[in-house]
Amino acid sequence: MIDRRRLESGGLIAFLVLATLGLMLVVSSFAGALLWAVLAAILFQSLFRWLLARWPGHRNRAAATTLLIILVAVIIPALAIAAMVIDQTAGVYARVQSGQIDFATYFQQMHDALPQWVQRPLDRSGLGSFDRAQARIAEGLRNSFRSIASQALSIGRNAAAFLLAFGVGLYVTYFLLRDGETLAPAIRDALPLERSVADRLLGKFVAVVRATVKGSVVVGLVQGALGAVTFWIVGLPAALLWGLLMALMSLLPAVGPAIVWVPVAAYLLATGAVWQAIVVVVSGVAVIGLADNILRPILVGRDTGIPDWLVLVTTLGGIEVAGLSGIVVGPLVAALFIAGWQILTEQRRGHAIANPDAADAPRDDGG
């Protein structure tokens, strides 16, 4: 006869699984807003506590003030920059469509400026005229600008949905800030894990969120701003757009912003803009490149324990799956994966040390 308690426990677990899946389905439209609300609450929790220390007992006022600071210092400037980037993107796209910007001509100029010892291998490989490369790259860039322009139009058409998600995110952030000190222990105690394991996983979650947002996003914005200023100095069109691309590329380990400024410097040098190319190279190496080495240790404070190659793969995969939120989701999943396996390995080693004879005990196979 089936144990009644085990049956009831199994029924409760099945109910919780179904209820959890149902809740995820219901809130899936606001998944991005909820994620960024959690990130904002984690990042600005220290500011909330600082305000609460000055207004003891006034949690609502401290949370509202923190939210106002987030709105004024982060969200409004980000929306203004996004509007300028969209405007520059639309301008560049219009110039590409009208033929004022001809990528094929630019690549041909670069080829003609190369020394003969570089041109000859390219000619023998069939890339001397850059016909196929020109067509593919030019079409790829046109498609990219077309995609960005269509996304901008989509945002305009779905302004109501965007504003609704934006409002939900701010609303949830307020309550996470105000009640975070009680919500975190409640979530930890509700997890079907040992207390020490739950503490380590939650600690890893917070550490990766802070490292990713502060150490990657903030550093990326700084490098993108430096790149935009550099491109503006040398007179490149749509400097803010190229700066945004550098900020996005800075999220990728190893390559980083160099994937943008190196080809730009090569093009400037090949087309005779020598001093502009020198400025881009010097800025890329001595200013933009060093920003990561100086700012990341200050902002991150501690290592997340994720190898660079895994950060690269999970960041790209996260962006593919979750869009912009994948910048955080990808490395976060990787960090929790590594932490979980480390905990399991430590527990198995501890069990083996506590029971040294268990591994050597003969098995009874029934034979």
mmCIF file of all heavy atoms in Angstrom, residues 257-286:
data_model
loop_
_atom_site.group_PDB
_atom_site.id
_atom_site.type_symbol
_atom_site.label_atom_id
_atom_site.label_comp_id
_atom_site.label_asym_id
_atom_site.label_seq_id
_atom_site.Cartn_x
_atom_site.Cartn_y
_atom_site.Cartn_z
ATOM 1 N N PRO A 257 36.333 46.208 -27.883
ATOM 2 C CA PRO A 257 36.101 47.341 -28.795
ATOM 3 C C PRO A 257 37.048 47.348 -29.994
ATOM 4 O O PRO A 257 36.776 48.036 -30.976
ATOM 5 C CB PRO A 257 36.345 48.570 -27.908
ATOM 6 C CG PRO A 257 36.216 48.089 -26.509
ATOM 7 C CD PRO A 257 36.680 46.671 -26.525
ATOM 8 N N ALA A 258 38.151 46.617 -29.911
ATOM 9 C CA ALA A 258 39.108 46.605 -31.021
ATOM 10 C C ALA A 258 38.483 46.098 -32.309
ATOM 11 O O ALA A 258 38.942 46.449 -33.403
ATOM 12 C CB ALA A 258 40.324 45.746 -30.665
ATOM 13 N N ILE A 259 37.431 45.290 -32.198
ATOM 14 C CA ILE A 259 36.782 44.770 -33.397
ATOM 15 C C ILE A 259 36.116 45.889 -34.194
ATOM 16 O O ILE A 259 35.788 45.727 -35.375
ATOM 17 C CB ILE A 259 35.751 43.682 -33.008
ATOM 18 C CG1 ILE A 259 35.420 42.805 -34.209
ATOM 19 C CG2 ILE A 259 34.482 44.298 -32.452
ATOM 20 C CD1 ILE A 259 34.571 41.612 -33.865
ATOM 21 N N VAL A 260 35.938 47.059 -33.563
ATOM 22 C CA VAL A 260 35.352 48.212 -34.250
ATOM 23 C C VAL A 260 36.434 49.208 -34.647
ATOM 24 O O VAL A 260 36.504 49.626 -35.810
ATOM 25 C CB VAL A 260 34.294 48.908 -33.363
ATOM 26 C CG1 VAL A 260 33.754 50.159 -34.053
ATOM 27 C CG2 VAL A 260 33.160 47.948 -33.048
ATOM 28 N N TRP A 261 37.296 49.604 -33.680
ATOM 29 C CA TRP A 261 38.216 50.696 -33.997
ATOM 30 C C TRP A 261 39.389 50.262 -34.870
ATOM 31 O O TRP A 261 39.942 51.086 -35.606
ATOM 32 C CB TRP A 261 38.708 51.396 -32.732
ATOM 33 C CG TRP A 261 39.581 50.622 -31.791
ATOM 34 C CD1 TRP A 261 39.218 50.030 -30.625
ATOM 35 C CD2 TRP A 261 40.993 50.402 -31.913
ATOM 36 N NE1 TRP A 261 40.284 49.442 -30.017
ATOM 37 C CE2 TRP A 261 41.395 49.672 -30.778
ATOM 38 C CE3 TRP A 261 41.954 50.752 -32.858
ATOM 39 C CZ2 TRP A 261 42.713 49.271 -30.575
ATOM 40 C CZ3 TRP A 261 43.269 50.354 -32.659
ATOM 41 C CH2 TRP A 261 43.639 49.628 -31.526
ATOM 42 N N VAL A 262 39.776 48.992 -34.858
ATOM 43 C CA VAL A 262 40.889 48.541 -35.719
ATOM 44 C C VAL A 262 40.522 48.649 -37.200
ATOM 45 O O VAL A 262 41.287 49.221 -37.994
ATOM 46 C CB VAL A 262 41.326 47.118 -35.341
ATOM 47 C CG1 VAL A 262 42.264 46.547 -36.404
ATOM 48 C CG2 VAL A 262 42.030 47.115 -33.984
ATOM 49 N N PRO A 263 39.358 48.116 -37.658
ATOM 50 C CA PRO A 263 38.994 48.309 -39.069
ATOM 51 C C PRO A 263 38.819 49.781 -39.435
ATOM 52 O O PRO A 263 39.166 50.180 -40.561
ATOM 53 C CB PRO A 263 37.669 47.544 -39.197
ATOM 54 C CG PRO A 263 37.676 46.561 -38.086
ATOM 55 C CD PRO A 263 38.392 47.235 -36.964
ATOM 56 N N VAL A 264 38.298 50.589 -38.513
ATOM 57 C CA VAL A 264 38.143 52.021 -38.796
ATOM 58 C C VAL A 264 39.516 52.658 -39.006
ATOM 59 O O VAL A 264 39.717 53.438 -39.955
ATOM 60 C CB VAL A 264 37.396 52.723 -37.650
ATOM 61 C CG1 VAL A 264 37.446 54.237 -37.812
ATOM 62 C CG2 VAL A 264 35.943 52.255 -37.612
ATOM 63 N N ALA A 265 40.481 52.336 -38.136
ATOM 64 C CA ALA A 265 41.836 52.881 -38.287
ATOM 65 C C ALA A 265 42.468 52.411 -39.592
ATOM 66 O O ALA A 265 43.150 53.186 -40.280
ATOM 67 C CB ALA A 265 42.696 52.475 -37.094
ATOM 68 N N ALA A 266 42.248 51.130 -39.936
ATOM 69 C CA ALA A 266 42.803 50.609 -41.189
ATOM 70 C C ALA A 266 42.209 51.330 -42.396
ATOM 71 O O ALA A 266 42.932 51.667 -43.351
ATOM 72 C CB ALA A 266 42.536 49.113 -41.282
ATOM 73 N N TYR A 267 40.904 51.589 -42.361
ATOM 74 C CA TYR A 267 40.274 52.306 -43.472
ATOM 75 C C TYR A 267 40.812 53.729 -43.576
ATOM 76 O O TYR A 267 41.119 54.209 -44.674
ATOM 77 C CB TYR A 267 38.760 52.327 -43.290
ATOM 78 C CG TYR A 267 38.076 53.317 -44.204
ATOM 79 C CD1 TYR A 267 37.952 53.047 -45.565
ATOM 80 C CD2 TYR A 267 37.603 54.529 -43.716
ATOM 81 C CE1 TYR A 267 37.356 53.965 -46.410
ATOM 82 C CE2 TYR A 267 37.002 55.451 -44.554
ATOM 83 C CZ TYR A 267 36.877 55.161 -45.900
ATOM 84 O OH TYR A 267 36.301 56.064 -46.737
ATOM 85 N N LEU A 268 40.934 54.421 -42.452
ATOM 86 C CA LEU A 268 41.444 55.797 -42.478
ATOM 87 C C LEU A 268 42.864 55.836 -43.026
ATOM 88 O O LEU A 268 43.212 56.709 -43.833
ATOM 89 C CB LEU A 268 41.402 56.391 -41.071
ATOM 90 C CG LEU A 268 39.992 56.656 -40.491
ATOM 91 C CD1 LEU A 268 40.093 57.083 -39.037
ATOM 92 C CD2 LEU A 268 39.262 57.715 -41.309
ATOM 93 N N LEU A 269 43.681 54.888 -42.603
ATOM 94 C CA LEU A 269 45.068 54.845 -43.086
ATOM 95 C C LEU A 269 45.123 54.531 -44.574
ATOM 96 O O LEU A 269 45.915 55.129 -45.323
ATOM 97 C CB LEU A 269 45.850 53.810 -42.286
ATOM 98 C CG LEU A 269 47.362 53.730 -42.547
ATOM 99 C CD1 LEU A 269 48.030 55.049 -42.165
ATOM 100 C CD2 LEU A 269 47.986 52.582 -41.770
ATOM 101 N N ALA A 270 44.266 53.602 -45.020
ATOM 102 C CA ALA A 270 44.273 53.214 -46.428
ATOM 103 C C ALA A 270 43.771 54.318 -47.340
ATOM 104 O O ALA A 270 44.167 54.399 -48.512
ATOM 105 C CB ALA A 270 43.429 51.954 -46.627
ATOM 106 N N THR A 271 42.915 55.176 -46.821
ATOM 107 C CA THR A 271 42.362 56.254 -47.645
ATOM 108 C C THR A 271 43.122 57.567 -47.490
ATOM 109 O O THR A 271 42.654 58.610 -47.964
ATOM 110 C CB THR A 271 40.881 56.474 -47.279
ATOM 111 O OG1 THR A 271 40.759 56.695 -45.873
ATOM 112 C CG2 THR A 271 40.053 55.273 -47.675
ATOM 113 N N GLY A 272 44.272 57.523 -46.823
ATOM 114 C CA GLY A 272 45.128 58.698 -46.730
ATOM 115 C C GLY A 272 44.874 59.609 -45.552
ATOM 116 O O GLY A 272 45.545 60.630 -45.404
ATOM 117 N N ALA A 273 43.933 59.264 -44.697
ATOM 118 C CA ALA A 273 43.673 60.071 -43.498
ATOM 119 C C ALA A 273 44.621 59.614 -42.395
ATOM 120 O O ALA A 273 44.216 58.930 -41.447
ATOM 121 C CB ALA A 273 42.218 59.943 -43.079
ATOM 122 N N VAL A 274 45.889 60.016 -42.512
ATOM 123 C CA VAL A 274 46.934 59.464 -41.651
ATOM 124 C C VAL A 274 46.771 59.926 -40.212
ATOM 125 O O VAL A 274 46.766 59.115 -39.272
ATOM 126 C CB VAL A 274 48.327 59.850 -42.184
ATOM 127 C CG1 VAL A 274 49.417 59.317 -41.247
ATOM 128 C CG2 VAL A 274 48.520 59.307 -43.594
ATOM 129 N N TRP A 275 46.626 61.233 -39.993
ATOM 130 C CA TRP A 275 46.563 61.704 -38.613
ATOM 131 C C TRP A 275 45.303 61.212 -37.916
ATOM 132 O O TRP A 275 45.304 60.922 -36.709
ATOM 133 C CB TRP A 275 46.667 63.221 -38.556
ATOM 134 C CG TRP A 275 45.423 63.973 -38.977
ATOM 135 C CD1 TRP A 275 45.145 64.479 -40.203
ATOM 136 C CD2 TRP A 275 44.301 64.299 -38.129
ATOM 137 N NE1 TRP A 275 43.925 65.095 -40.201
ATOM 138 C CE2 TRP A 275 43.376 65.018 -38.935
ATOM 139 C CE3 TRP A 275 43.990 64.074 -36.800
ATOM 140 C CZ2 TRP A 275 42.164 65.486 -38.453
ATOM 141 C CZ3 TRP A 275 42.780 64.536 -36.310
ATOM 142 C CH2 TRP A 275 41.884 65.241 -37.125
ATOM 143 N N GLN A 276 44.204 61.075 -38.681
ATOM 144 C CA GLN A 276 42.987 60.536 -38.088
ATOM 145 C C GLN A 276 43.198 59.080 -37.663
ATOM 146 O O GLN A 276 42.745 58.666 -36.585
ATOM 147 C CB GLN A 276 41.825 60.623 -39.066
ATOM 148 C CG GLN A 276 41.358 62.047 -39.355
ATOM 149 C CD GLN A 276 42.032 62.642 -40.571
ATOM 150 O OE1 GLN A 276 43.153 62.254 -40.916
ATOM 151 N NE2 GLN A 276 41.365 63.583 -41.218
ATOM 152 N N ALA A 277 43.888 58.307 -38.519
ATOM 153 C CA ALA A 277 44.166 56.910 -38.174
ATOM 154 C C ALA A 277 45.050 56.827 -36.931
ATOM 155 O O ALA A 277 44.843 55.976 -36.063
ATOM 156 C CB ALA A 277 44.830 56.202 -39.352
ATOM 157 N N ILE A 278 46.048 57.709 -36.828
ATOM 158 C CA ILE A 278 46.930 57.713 -35.658
ATOM 159 C C ILE A 278 46.143 58.029 -34.389
ATOM 160 O O ILE A 278 46.341 57.408 -33.341
ATOM 161 C CB ILE A 278 48.089 58.708 -35.864
ATOM 162 C CG1 ILE A 278 48.992 58.236 -37.007
ATOM 163 C CG2 ILE A 278 48.891 58.884 -34.583
ATOM 164 C CD1 ILE A 278 50.085 59.223 -37.363
ATOM 165 N N VAL A 279 45.235 58.998 -34.482
ATOM 166 C CA VAL A 279 44.416 59.361 -33.325
ATOM 167 C C VAL A 279 43.566 58.172 -32.877
ATOM 168 O O VAL A 279 43.464 57.880 -31.671
ATOM 169 C CB VAL A 279 43.523 60.576 -33.651
ATOM 170 C CG1 VAL A 279 42.475 60.786 -32.561
ATOM 171 C CG2 VAL A 279 44.369 61.823 -33.810
ATOM 172 N N VAL A 280 42.956 57.459 -33.834
ATOM 173 C CA VAL A 280 42.119 56.310 -33.494
ATOM 174 C C VAL A 280 42.949 55.204 -32.842
ATOM 175 O O VAL A 280 42.535 54.611 -31.826
ATOM 176 C CB VAL A 280 41.395 55.780 -34.745
ATOM 177 C CG1 VAL A 280 40.693 54.455 -34.450
ATOM 178 C CG2 VAL A 280 40.385 56.798 -35.249
ATOM 179 N N VAL A 281 44.146 54.941 -33.386
ATOM 180 C CA VAL A 281 44.994 53.883 -32.825
ATOM 181 C C VAL A 281 45.466 54.247 -31.421
ATOM 182 O O VAL A 281 45.413 53.428 -30.491
ATOM 183 C CB VAL A 281 46.194 53.616 -33.753
ATOM 184 C CG1 VAL A 281 47.190 52.674 -33.076
ATOM 185 C CG2 VAL A 281 45.725 53.023 -35.071
ATOM 186 N N VAL A 282 45.944 55.465 -31.246
ATOM 187 C CA VAL A 282 46.425 55.898 -29.931
ATOM 188 C C VAL A 282 45.291 55.861 -28.904
ATOM 189 O O VAL A 282 45.466 55.388 -27.775
ATOM 190 C CB VAL A 282 47.046 57.305 -30.014
ATOM 191 C CG1 VAL A 282 47.349 57.841 -28.623
ATOM 192 C CG2 VAL A 282 48.313 57.277 -30.860
ATOM 193 N N SER A 283 44.127 56.349 -29.299
ATOM 194 C CA SER A 283 42.988 56.322 -28.390
ATOM 195 C C SER A 283 42.560 54.896 -28.073
ATOM 196 O O SER A 283 42.261 54.563 -26.921
ATOM 197 C CB SER A 283 41.818 57.097 -28.992
ATOM 198 O OG SER A 283 40.678 57.024 -28.167
ATOM 199 N N GLY A 284 42.551 54.035 -29.101
ATOM 200 C CA GLY A 284 42.141 52.649 -28.887
ATOM 201 C C GLY A 284 43.060 51.896 -27.953
ATOM 202 O O GLY A 284 42.609 51.116 -27.106
ATOM 203 N N VAL A 285 44.374 52.123 -28.089
ATOM 204 C CA VAL A 285 45.355 51.395 -27.273
ATOM 205 C C VAL A 285 45.541 52.035 -25.900
ATOM 206 O O VAL A 285 45.498 51.356 -24.861
ATOM 207 C CB VAL A 285 46.701 51.301 -28.011
ATOM 208 C CG1 VAL A 285 47.755 50.660 -27.117
ATOM 209 C CG2 VAL A 285 46.539 50.508 -29.305
ATOM 210 N N ALA A 286 45.758 53.353 -25.886
ATOM 211 C CA ALA A 286 46.157 54.027 -24.649
ATOM 212 C C ALA A 286 44.986 54.508 -23.799
ATOM 213 O O ALA A 286 45.155 54.704 -22.596
ATOM 214 C CB ALA A 286 47.050 55.223 -24.987
#
